[in-house]
Amino acid sequence: MTSPLPPSSPASVLDLAPVVPVVVVTDAADAVPLARALVAGGLPAIEVTLRTPAAMAAIRAIAAEVPDAVVGAGTVLTPQQVADSAAAGARFLVSPGWTDVLLGAMEASGVPYLPGVSTTSEVVALLERGVREMKFFPAQAAGGTAYLKSLAGPLPQARFCPTGGIGPASAPEYLALPNVGCVGGSWMLPEDAVAARDWGRIEALAREAAALRTRG
């Protein structure tokens, strides 16, 4: 699968930074300054969720105007969204779950993807298909660090980006696990800071998140 990263970068989105910001953009005009703040804070991989009408325009703008960002599309649910995201410049795709149809579309797109899992059987099914990197969602509700720790023994080849209910206090516990490459979260994007366009505060919070260590 084609890497979305320059040759000098890690081979996987999971290795770019300890945290992948999960971004909900309601105003496409905010996308570029928001992405620049996150990148300046040390979080280059940015997941823009397809939950708002502005999402595709935001991905397109970030891809065109923030070259140091590795922008991805999140909450990808349909083959059409896969195609639209790739056309907009998404360099990785994230889904909360997967079906054979969705997985086939993501694989055919040539864009790296993280299909969502929450059970052991889903992980095994993806491993059968050659998929080694996955989103674990909803992380806290699905069993948290204890569940992922239990998977590491029998399924060490699977690597995860846990997302859902993770904050700065719990993130280090996830990042200490051998099968976790990074975590997804939005705590560095408080609603009041985004509404006020306080990019300096967001950059500072991103820098704190980027300083989290992947091993205890």
Side-chain angles (χ1 to χ4, degrees):
M1 186 176 298
T2 303
S3 171
L5 311 176
S8 60
S9 298
S12 168
V13 172
L14 270 61
D15 298 320
L16 279 172
V19 180
V20 175
V22 179
V23 181
V24 179
V25 179
T26 56
D27 185 344
D30 292 337
V32 167
L34 178 59
R36 286 176 176 158
L38 292 170
V39 171
L43 301 181
I46 301 170
E47 177 188 336
V48 177
T49 66
L50 303 184
R51 302 179 193 174
T52 68
M56 286 297 178
I59 292 171
R60 192 174 297 110
I62 295 169
E65 300 182 43
V66 191
D68 292 333
V70 178
V71 64
T75 322
V76 176
L77 301 175
T78 68
Q80 187 62 55
Q81 288 180 329
V82 170
D84 291 345
S85 298
R91 296 164 71 185
F92 65 96
L93 307 170
V94 184
S95 65
W98 63 276
T99 65
D100 288 333
V101 171
L102 180 58
L103 195 69
M106 291 193 292
E107 183 176 11
S109 73
V111 178
Y113 55 91
L114 296 173
V117 297
S118 60
T119 70
T120 306
S121 294
E122 290 170 331
V123 176
V124 172
L126 286 178
L127 290 174
E128 281 186 352
R129 291 161 170 80
V131 179
R132 299 284 184 269
E133 297 186 341
M134 312 166 195
K135 171 179 178 173
F136 180 58
F137 177 83
Q140 288 289 92
T145 55
Y147 194 96
L148 287 171
K149 189 180 297 185
S150 298
L151 291 182
L155 302 172
Q157 64 272 52
R159 295 183 73 217
F160 301 95
C161 174
T163 305
I166 299 174
S170 59
E173 300 174 15
Y174 283 93
L175 293 168
L177 299 176
N179 55 352
V180 170
C182 63
V183 300
S186 58
W187 71 84
M188 73 298 301
L189 299 161
E191 291 184 8
D192 59 337
V194 175
R197 295 177 169 83
D198 188 348
W199 312 128
R201 180 182 171 199
I202 289 171
E203 179 181 339
L205 291 170
R207 187 169 290 108
E208 292 175 5
L212 293 171
R213 293 294 173 257
T214 58
R215 296 294 179 266

